Amino acid sequence: MGKSPKVVSPSEHRISAVAAHPKQEVCAIGYEDGMMLLTRVEDGAEILARAPGPSPISAVAWNVAGTRLAFGTEDGAAGVISL
């Protein structure tokens, strides 16, 4: 509160889904172009988790331990990434 918002992972594509890591200051960010990035909040460092695809990311979720990341797209594709 009382602080300006912090912008992480600026992109020309709109964000369509976000999930905060349950234990670390990391966000999984899904975009309308089907790309998904993992972004560290502290310094904005990014890791490409999924390359752009044919359909927007519509859902992103971490497991409780923060070791797996599930995603879904508007066209019904889905996956789980083990970290």
Side-chain angles (χ1 to χ4, degrees):
M1 300 302 291
K3 294 182 181 180
S4 298
K6 186 170 187 171
V7 177
V8 295
S9 295
S11 173
E12 61 188 50
H13 299 283
R14 290 180 55 167
I15 293 172
S16 55
V18 175
H21 191 278
K23 298 182 184 216
Q24 298 180 24
E25 290 191 13
V26 173
C27 289
I29 304 171
Y31 292 89
E32 285 189 341
D33 69 346
M35 179 175 67
M36 193 166 57
L37 293 176
L38 303 180
T39 303
R40 190 169 45 215
V41 175
E42 179 182 326
D43 60 5
E46 299 172 342
I47 296 173
L48 180 65
R50 183 175 191 266
S55 183
I57 301 292
S58 58
V60 180
W62 293 94
N63 70 338
V64 175
T67 57
R68 292 192 179 132
L69 178 64
F71 68 91
T73 66
E74 286 186 9
D75 68 358
V80 176
I81 300 169
S82 294
L83 303 168

Coordinates of all heavy atoms in Angstrom, one line a residue:
M1 N 0.8 -1.2 0.0 CA 0.0 0.0 0.0 C 0.9 1.2 0.0 O 1.9 1.3 0.6 CB -0.9 0.0 1.2 CG -1.9 -1.2 1.3 SD -3.0 -1.4 -0.1 CE -4.0 0.0 0.1
G2 N 0.4 2.2 -0.7 CA 1.2 3.5 -0.7 C 2.4 3.5 -1.7 O 3.1 4.4 -1.7
K3 N 2.5 2.4 -2.5 CA 3.6 2.3 -3.4 C 3.0 2.3 -4.8 O 1.9 1.8 -5.1 CB 4.4 1.0 -3.2 CG 5.1 1.0 -1.9 CD 6.0 -0.3 -1.8 CE 6.7 -0.4 -0.5 NZ 7.5 -1.6 -0.4
S4 N 3.8 2.7 -5.8 CA 3.4 2.6 -7.2 C 3.5 1.1 -7.6 O 4.3 0.4 -7.1 CB 4.4 3.4 -8.1 OG 4.4 4.8 -7.7
P5 N 2.6 0.8 -8.5 CA 2.6 -0.6 -9.0 C 3.9 -0.9 -9.8 O 4.5 -0.1 -10.4 CB 1.4 -0.7 -10.0 CG 1.1 0.7 -10.3 CD 1.6 1.5 -9.2
K6 N 4.4 -2.2 -9.7 CA 5.6 -2.6 -10.3 C 5.2 -3.4 -11.6 O 4.4 -4.3 -11.6 CB 6.4 -3.5 -9.4 CG 7.7 -3.9 -10.0 CD 8.6 -4.6 -9.0 CE 10.0 -4.8 -9.5 NZ 10.9 -5.2 -8.5
V7 N 5.8 -3.0 -12.7 CA 5.5 -3.7 -14.0 C 6.6 -4.7 -14.2 O 7.8 -4.5 -14.2 CB 5.6 -2.6 -15.2 CG1 5.4 -3.4 -16.5 CG2 4.5 -1.6 -14.9
V8 N 6.1 -6.0 -14.4 CA 7.0 -7.1 -14.7 C 6.6 -7.7 -16.0 O 5.4 -7.7 -16.3 CB 7.1 -8.1 -13.6 CG1 7.7 -7.6 -12.3 CG2 5.7 -8.7 -13.3
S9 N 7.5 -8.2 -16.8 CA 7.2 -8.8 -18.1 C 6.4 -8.0 -19.1 O 5.3 -8.4 -19.5 CB 6.5 -10.1 -17.9 OG 7.3 -11.0 -17.2
P10 N 6.8 -6.7 -19.4 CA 6.1 -5.9 -20.3 C 6.1 -6.6 -21.7 O 7.1 -7.3 -22.1 CB 6.8 -4.6 -20.4 CG 8.2 -4.9 -19.9 CD 8.0 -6.1 -18.9
S11 N 5.0 -6.6 -22.4 CA 4.9 -7.3 -23.7 C 3.9 -6.5 -24.6 O 3.1 -5.8 -24.1 CB 4.4 -8.7 -23.5 OG 4.2 -9.3 -24.8
E12 N 4.1 -6.7 -25.9 CA 3.1 -6.1 -26.8 C 1.8 -6.9 -26.8 O 0.8 -6.4 -27.3 CB 3.7 -6.0 -28.2 CG 4.0 -7.4 -28.8 CD 4.7 -7.3 -30.1 OE1 5.7 -6.6 -30.2 OE2 4.3 -8.0 -31.0
H13 N 1.8 -8.1 -26.2 CA 0.6 -8.9 -26.2 C -0.1 -8.8 -24.8 O 0.6 -8.6 -23.8 CB 0.9 -10.4 -26.4 CG 1.5 -10.6 -27.8 ND1 0.7 -10.6 -28.9 CD2 2.8 -10.8 -28.2 CE1 1.5 -10.8 -30.0 NE2 2.8 -10.9 -29.6
R14 N -1.4 -8.9 -24.8 CA -2.1 -8.7 -23.5 C -1.9 -10.0 -22.7 O -1.9 -11.1 -23.2 CB -3.6 -8.5 -23.8 CG -3.8 -7.2 -24.4 CD -5.3 -7.0 -24.7 NE -6.1 -7.2 -23.5 CZ -7.3 -6.9 -23.4 NH1 -8.0 -6.3 -24.3 NH2 -7.9 -7.1 -22.2
I15 N -1.9 -9.8 -21.4 CA -1.9 -10.9 -20.4 C -3.2 -11.5 -20.3 O -4.2 -10.7 -20.2 CB -1.3 -10.4 -19.0 CG1 0.1 -9.9 -19.2 CG2 -1.5 -11.4 -18.0 CD1 0.7 -9.2 -17.9
S16 N -3.3 -12.8 -20.3 CA -4.6 -13.5 -20.2 C -4.8 -14.3 -18.9 O -5.9 -14.7 -18.6 CB -4.8 -14.3 -21.4 OG -3.8 -15.2 -21.6
A17 N -3.7 -14.6 -18.2 CA -3.7 -15.4 -17.0 C -2.5 -15.2 -16.2 O -1.4 -15.1 -16.8 CB -3.9 -16.9 -17.3
V18 N -2.6 -15.2 -14.9 CA -1.5 -15.0 -14.0 C -1.6 -15.9 -12.7 O -2.7 -16.1 -12.3 CB -1.4 -13.5 -13.5 CG1 -0.3 -13.4 -12.4 CG2 -1.2 -12.6 -14.6
A19 N -0.5 -16.5 -12.3 CA -0.5 -17.3 -11.1 C 0.7 -17.0 -10.3 O 1.8 -17.1 -10.8 CB -0.6 -18.8 -11.4
A20 N 0.6 -16.6 -9.0 CA 1.7 -16.3 -8.2 C 2.2 -17.7 -7.6 O 1.5 -18.5 -7.2 CB 1.3 -15.4 -7.0
H21 N 3.5 -17.8 -7.5 CA 4.2 -19.0 -6.9 C 3.8 -19.0 -5.5 O 3.8 -18.0 -4.8 CB 5.7 -18.9 -7.1 CG 6.4 -20.2 -6.8 ND1 6.7 -20.5 -5.5 CD2 6.9 -21.2 -7.6 CE1 7.4 -21.7 -5.5 NE2 7.5 -22.1 -6.8
P22 N 3.5 -20.2 -4.9 CA 3.1 -20.3 -3.5 C 4.2 -20.0 -2.5 O 3.8 -19.8 -1.3 CB 2.6 -21.8 -3.4 CG 3.3 -22.5 -4.5 CD 3.5 -21.5 -5.6
K23 N 5.5 -20.1 -2.9 CA 6.5 -19.9 -1.9 C 7.6 -18.9 -2.2 O 8.3 -18.4 -1.3 CB 7.2 -21.3 -1.6 CG 6.2 -22.3 -1.1 CD 6.9 -23.6 -0.8 CE 5.9 -24.6 -0.4 NZ 6.3 -25.5 0.6
Q24 N 7.7 -18.5 -3.5 CA 8.7 -17.6 -3.9 C 8.1 -16.4 -4.6 O 6.9 -16.4 -5.0 CB 9.7 -18.2 -4.8 CG 10.4 -19.4 -4.1 CD 11.4 -20.0 -5.1 OE1 11.9 -19.4 -6.0 NE2 11.8 -21.3 -4.8
E25 N 8.8 -15.3 -4.8 CA 8.3 -14.1 -5.5 C 8.5 -14.3 -7.0 O 9.3 -13.6 -7.6 CB 9.0 -12.9 -4.9 CG 8.5 -12.5 -3.5 CD 9.0 -11.1 -3.1 OE1 9.4 -10.3 -3.9 OE2 8.9 -10.9 -1.9
V26 N 7.7 -15.2 -7.5 CA 7.7 -15.5 -8.9 C 6.3 -15.6 -9.4 O 5.4 -16.1 -8.7 CB 8.4 -16.9 -9.2 CG1 8.3 -17.3 -10.6 CG2 9.9 -16.8 -8.8
C27 N 6.0 -15.1 -10.6 CA 4.7 -15.2 -11.2 C 4.8 -16.0 -12.5 O 5.8 -15.8 -13.3 CB 4.1 -13.8 -11.5 SG 3.7 -12.9 -10.1
A28 N 3.8 -16.8 -12.8 CA 3.7 -17.4 -14.1 C 2.7 -16.5 -14.9 O 1.6 -16.3 -14.3 CB 3.1 -18.8 -14.0
I29 N 3.0 -16.1 -16.0 CA 2.2 -15.1 -16.8 C 1.9 -15.7 -18.1 O 2.8 -16.1 -18.9 CB 2.9 -13.8 -16.9 CG1 3.3 -13.2 -15.6 CG2 2.0 -12.8 -17.7 CD1 4.2 -12.0 -15.6
G30 N 0.6 -15.9 -18.5 CA 0.2 -16.4 -19.8 C -0.3 -15.2 -20.6 O -1.0 -14.3 -20.1
Y31 N -0.1 -15.3 -21.9 CA -0.4 -14.2 -22.8 C -1.4 -14.7 -23.9 O -1.6 -15.8 -24.1 CB 0.9 -13.7 -23.5 CG 1.8 -13.0 -22.6 CD1 2.8 -13.7 -21.9 CD2 1.7 -11.6 -22.4 CE1 3.7 -13.1 -21.0 CE2 2.6 -11.0 -21.5 CZ 3.6 -11.7 -20.8 OH 4.4 -11.1 -20.0
E32 N -2.0 -13.7 -24.5 CA -3.0 -14.0 -25.6 C -2.4 -14.6 -26.8 O -3.1 -15.2 -27.6 CB -3.7 -12.7 -26.0 CG -4.8 -12.3 -24.9 CD -5.7 -11.1 -25.4 OE1 -5.3 -10.4 -26.4 OE2 -6.7 -11.0 -24.8
D33 N -1.1 -14.5 -27.0 CA -0.4 -15.1 -28.1 C 0.0 -16.6 -27.8 O 0.6 -17.2 -28.6 CB 0.8 -14.3 -28.6 CG 1.9 -14.3 -27.6 OD1 1.8 -14.7 -26.4 OD2 3.1 -13.9 -28.0
G34 N -0.4 -17.1 -26.6 CA -0.1 -18.5 -26.2 C 1.2 -18.7 -25.5 O 1.5 -19.8 -25.1
M35 N 2.0 -17.6 -25.4 CA 3.3 -17.7 -24.7 C 3.0 -17.7 -23.2 O 2.1 -17.1 -22.7 CB 4.1 -16.5 -25.1 CG 5.5 -16.5 -24.4 SD 6.6 -15.1 -25.0 CE 5.7 -13.7 -24.4
M36 N 4.0 -18.3 -22.4 CA 3.9 -18.2 -21.0 C 5.3 -18.0 -20.5 O 6.3 -18.6 -20.9 CB 3.4 -19.5 -20.4 CG 3.0 -19.5 -19.0 SD 2.0 -20.8 -18.4 CE 3.0 -22.2 -18.8
L37 N 5.5 -17.0 -19.5 CA 6.7 -16.7 -18.9 C 6.7 -16.9 -17.4 O 5.6 -16.7 -16.8 CB 7.1 -15.2 -19.2 CG 7.4 -14.8 -20.6 CD1 7.6 -13.2 -20.6 CD2 8.6 -15.4 -21.2
L38 N 7.8 -17.2 -16.9 CA 8.0 -17.2 -15.4 C 8.8 -16.0 -15.1 O 9.9 -15.8 -15.8 CB 8.8 -18.4 -14.9 CG 8.1 -19.8 -15.3 CD1 9.0 -20.9 -14.7 CD2 6.7 -19.9 -14.7
T39 N 8.3 -15.1 -14.3 CA 9.0 -13.8 -14.0 C 9.3 -13.7 -12.5 O 8.4 -13.8 -11.7 CB 8.1 -12.7 -14.5 OG1 7.8 -12.9 -15.9 CG2 8.8 -11.3 -14.3
R40 N 10.5 -13.3 -12.2 CA 10.9 -13.0 -10.8 C 10.5 -11.6 -10.5 O 10.9 -10.7 -11.3 CB 12.4 -13.3 -10.6 CG 12.8 -13.2 -9.2 CD 14.2 -13.7 -8.9 NE 15.1 -13.2 -9.9 CZ 16.2 -13.8 -10.4 NH1 16.4 -15.1 -10.0 NH2 17.0 -13.2 -11.2
V41 N 9.7 -11.4 -9.5 CA 9.2 -10.1 -9.2 C 10.3 -9.1 -8.8 O 10.3 -7.9 -9.2 CB 8.1 -10.1 -8.1 CG1 7.6 -8.8 -7.6 CG2 6.9 -11.0 -8.5
E42 N 11.3 -9.5 -8.1 CA 12.3 -8.7 -7.5 C 13.0 -7.9 -8.7 O 13.2 -6.7 -8.6 CB 13.3 -9.5 -6.8 CG 14.5 -8.7 -6.2 CD 15.5 -9.5 -5.5 OE1 15.1 -10.5 -4.8 OE2 16.7 -9.2 -5.5
D43 N 13.5 -8.6 -9.7 CA 14.3 -7.9 -10.7 C 13.7 -8.1 -12.1 O 14.4 -7.6 -13.1 CB 15.7 -8.4 -10.7 CG 15.8 -9.9 -10.9 OD1 14.8 -10.6 -11.2 OD2 17.0 -10.5 -10.8
G44 N 12.6 -8.7 -12.3 CA 12.0 -8.9 -13.6 C 12.6 -9.9 -14.5 O 12.3 -10.0 -15.7
A45 N 13.5 -10.7 -14.0 CA 14.2 -11.8 -14.8 C 13.1 -12.8 -15.3 O 12.2 -13.1 -14.6 CB 15.2 -12.6 -13.9
E46 N 13.3 -13.2 -16.5 CA 12.2 -14.0 -17.2 C 12.8 -15.3 -17.7 O 14.0 -15.4 -18.1 CB 11.6 -13.3 -18.4 CG 11.0 -12.0 -18.0 CD 10.6 -11.2 -19.3 OE1 11.1 -11.5 -20.4 OE2 9.7 -10.3 -19.1
I47 N 12.0 -16.4 -17.6 CA 12.3 -17.6 -18.2 C 11.1 -18.0 -19.1 O 9.9 -17.9 -18.7 CB 12.5 -18.7 -17.2 CG1 13.7 -18.4 -16.3 CG2 12.6 -20.1 -17.8 CD1 13.8 -19.4 -15.1
L48 N 11.4 -18.4 -20.4 CA 10.3 -18.8 -21.3 C 9.8 -20.2 -20.9 O 10.6 -21.1 -20.9 CB 10.8 -18.8 -22.7 CG 9.8 -19.2 -23.8 CD1 8.6 -18.2 -23.8 CD2 10.5 -19.4 -25.1
A49 N 8.6 -20.3 -20.4 CA 8.0 -21.6 -20.0 C 7.3 -22.2 -21.2 O 7.1 -23.5 -21.2 CB 7.1 -21.4 -18.8
R50 N 6.7 -21.4 -22.1 CA 6.0 -22.0 -23.3 C 6.1 -20.9 -24.4 O 5.8 -19.8 -24.2 CB 4.5 -22.2 -22.9 CG 3.7 -22.9 -24.1 CD 2.3 -23.2 -23.6 NE 1.6 -24.0 -24.6 CZ 0.8 -23.5 -25.5 NH1 0.6 -22.2 -25.7 NH2 0.2 -24.3 -26.4
A51 N 6.5 -21.4 -25.5 CA 6.6 -20.5 -26.7 C 5.2 -20.1 -27.2 O 4.2 -20.8 -26.9 CB 7.3 -21.2 -27.8
P52 N 5.1 -19.0 -27.9 CA 3.8 -18.6 -28.4 C 3.1 -19.8 -29.2 O 3.8 -20.6 -29.9 CB 4.1 -17.5 -29.4 CG 5.3 -16.9 -28.8 CD 6.1 -18.1 -28.3
G53 N 1.8 -19.9 -29.2 CA 1.1 -20.9 -29.8 C -0.1 -20.4 -30.5 O -0.4 -19.2 -30.6
P54 N -1.0 -21.3 -31.0 CA -2.2 -20.8 -31.8 C -3.3 -20.3 -31.0 O -4.2 -19.7 -31.5 CB -2.6 -22.1 -32.5 CG -2.1 -23.2 -31.6 CD -0.8 -22.7 -31.0
S55 N -3.3 -20.4 -29.6 CA -4.4 -20.0 -28.8 C -4.0 -19.4 -27.5 O -2.9 -19.8 -27.0 CB -5.3 -21.3 -28.5 OG -6.4 -21.0 -27.8
P56 N -4.7 -18.4 -27.0 CA -4.4 -17.7 -25.8 C -4.3 -18.7 -24.6 O -5.1 -19.6 -24.5 CB -5.5 -16.7 -25.6 CG -6.0 -16.5 -26.9 CD -5.9 -17.8 -27.6
I57 N -3.4 -18.4 -23.6 CA -3.4 -19.1 -22.3 C -4.7 -18.7 -21.6 O -4.9 -17.5 -21.5 CB -2.2 -18.8 -21.5 CG1 -0.9 -19.1 -22.3 CG2 -2.2 -19.4 -20.1 CD1 -0.6 -20.6 -22.5
S58 N -5.4 -19.6 -21.1 CA -6.7 -19.3 -20.4 C -6.6 -19.6 -18.9 O -7.5 -19.1 -18.1 CB -7.9 -19.9 -21.0 OG -7.7 -21.3 -21.0
A59 N -5.7 -20.5 -18.5 CA -5.6 -20.9 -17.1 C -4.1 -21.2 -16.7 O -3.4 -21.8 -17.6 CB -6.5 -22.1 -16.8
V60 N -3.7 -20.8 -15.5 CA -2.4 -21.1 -15.0 C -2.5 -21.4 -13.5 O -3.2 -20.6 -12.8 CB -1.4 -19.9 -15.3 CG1 0.0 -20.3 -14.8 CG2 -1.3 -19.5 -16.7
A61 N -1.9 -22.5 -13.1 CA -1.9 -22.8 -11.6 C -0.7 -23.6 -11.2 O -0.2 -24.4 -11.9 CB -3.2 -23.6 -11.3
W62 N -0.2 -23.2 -10.0 CA 0.9 -24.0 -9.4 C 0.4 -25.0 -8.4 O -0.7 -24.9 -7.9 CB 1.8 -23.0 -8.5 CG 2.5 -21.9 -9.3 CD1 2.1 -20.7 -9.5 CD2 3.8 -22.0 -9.8 NE1 3.0 -20.0 -10.2 CE2 4.1 -20.8 -10.4 CE3 4.7 -23.1 -9.9 CZ2 5.3 -20.5 -11.1 CZ3 5.9 -22.8 -10.6 CH2 6.2 -21.6 -11.1
N63 N 1.1 -26.1 -8.2 CA 0.8 -27.0 -7.2 C 1.2 -26.4 -5.9 O 1.9 -25.4 -5.8 CB 1.4 -28.4 -7.4 CG 2.9 -28.5 -7.2 OD1 3.6 -27.5 -7.3 ND2 3.4 -29.7 -7.0
V64 N 0.8 -27.0 -4.7 CA 1.1 -26.4 -3.4 C 2.6 -26.3 -3.1 O 3.0 -25.3 -2.5 CB 0.4 -27.3 -2.3 CG1 0.8 -26.8 -0.9 CG2 -1.1 -27.2 -2.5
A65 N 3.4 -27.2 -3.6 CA 4.8 -27.2 -3.3 C 5.5 -26.2 -4.3 O 6.7 -25.8 -4.0 CB 5.4 -28.6 -3.5
G66 N 4.9 -25.8 -5.3 CA 5.5 -24.9 -6.3 C 6.5 -25.5 -7.2 O 7.3 -24.9 -7.8
T67 N 6.3 -26.9 -7.4 CA 7.3 -27.6 -8.2 C 6.7 -28.0 -9.6 O 7.4 -28.4 -10.5 CB 7.7 -28.9 -7.5 OG1 6.5 -29.7 -7.2 CG2 8.5 -28.6 -6.2
R68 N 5.4 -27.8 -9.7 CA 4.7 -28.0 -11.0 C 3.8 -26.9 -11.4 O 3.2 -26.3 -10.5 CB 3.9 -29.3 -10.9 CG 4.8 -30.5 -10.8 CD 4.0 -31.8 -11.0 NE 4.9 -32.9 -10.9 CZ 4.6 -34.0 -10.2 NH1 3.4 -34.1 -9.6 NH2 5.5 -35.0 -10.1
L69 N 3.7 -26.6 -12.7 CA 2.9 -25.5 -13.2 C 2.0 -26.1 -14.3 O 2.5 -26.7 -15.2 CB 3.8 -24.4 -13.8 CG 3.1 -23.2 -14.4 CD1 2.3 -22.4 -13.4 CD2 4.2 -22.3 -15.0
A70 N 0.7 -26.0 -14.1 CA -0.3 -26.4 -15.1 C -0.8 -25.2 -15.8 O -0.9 -24.1 -15.3 CB -1.4 -27.1 -14.4
F71 N -1.1 -25.5 -17.1 CA -1.7 -24.4 -17.9 C -2.7 -25.0 -18.9 O -2.7 -26.2 -19.2 CB -0.6 -23.7 -18.7 CG 0.1 -24.5 -19.8 CD1 -0.5 -24.5 -21.1 CD2 1.2 -25.3 -19.5 CE1 0.1 -25.3 -22.1 CE2 1.8 -26.0 -20.5 CZ 1.2 -26.1 -21.8
G72 N -3.6 -24.1 -19.3 CA -4.6 -24.5 -20.3 C -4.7 -23.4 -21.3 O -4.4 -22.2 -21.0
T73 N -5.2 -23.7 -22.5 CA -5.4 -22.7 -23.6 C -6.9 -22.7 -24.0 O -7.6 -23.6 -23.7 CB -4.6 -23.0 -24.8 OG1 -5.0 -24.2 -25.4 CG2 -3.1 -23.0 -24.4
E74 N -7.3 -21.6 -24.6 CA -8.7 -21.5 -25.1 C -9.1 -22.6 -26.0 O -10.3 -22.9 -26.1 CB -8.9 -20.1 -25.7 CG -9.0 -19.0 -24.6 CD -9.3 -17.7 -25.2 OE1 -9.7 -17.6 -26.4 OE2 -9.2 -16.7 -24.4
D75 N -8.2 -23.2 -26.8 CA -8.6 -24.2 -27.7 C -8.6 -25.6 -27.1 O -8.7 -26.6 -27.8 CB -7.8 -24.1 -29.0 CG -6.3 -24.5 -28.8 OD1 -5.9 -24.8 -27.7 OD2 -5.5 -24.5 -29.8
G76 N -8.3 -25.7 -25.8 CA -8.4 -27.0 -25.1 C -7.1 -27.7 -24.9 O -7.1 -28.7 -24.3
A77 N -6.0 -27.1 -25.3 CA -4.7 -27.7 -25.1 C -4.3 -27.5 -23.6 O -4.8 -26.5 -23.0 CB -3.6 -27.1 -26.0
A78 N -3.6 -28.4 -23.0 CA -3.2 -28.3 -21.6 C -1.8 -28.9 -21.4 O -1.4 -29.7 -22.2 CB -4.2 -28.9 -20.7
G79 N -1.2 -28.6 -20.3 CA 0.1 -29.2 -20.0 C 0.5 -29.0 -18.6 O -0.1 -28.1 -17.9
V80 N 1.5 -29.7 -18.2 CA 2.1 -29.6 -16.8 C 3.6 -29.5 -17.0 O 4.2 -30.3 -17.7 CB 1.7 -30.7 -15.9 CG1 2.4 -30.6 -14.5 CG2 0.2 -30.8 -15.7
I81 N 4.2 -28.5 -16.4 CA 5.6 -28.3 -16.5 C 6.2 -28.6 -15.1 O 5.8 -28.0 -14.1 CB 6.0 -26.8 -16.9 CG1 5.4 -26.5 -18.3 CG2 7.5 -26.6 -16.9 CD1 5.4 -25.1 -18.6
S82 N 7.1 -29.5 -15.0 CA 7.8 -29.8 -13.7 C 9.0 -29.0 -13.6 O 9.8 -28.9 -14.6 CB 8.2 -31.3 -13.7 OG 7.1 -32.1 -13.7
L83 N 9.2 -28.3 -12.5 CA 10.3 -27.4 -12.3 C 11.2 -27.9 -11.2 O 10.8 -28.6 -10.3 CB 9.8 -26.0 -11.9 CG 8.8 -25.4 -12.9 CD1 8.2 -24.2 -12.4 CD2 9.6 -25.1 -14.2

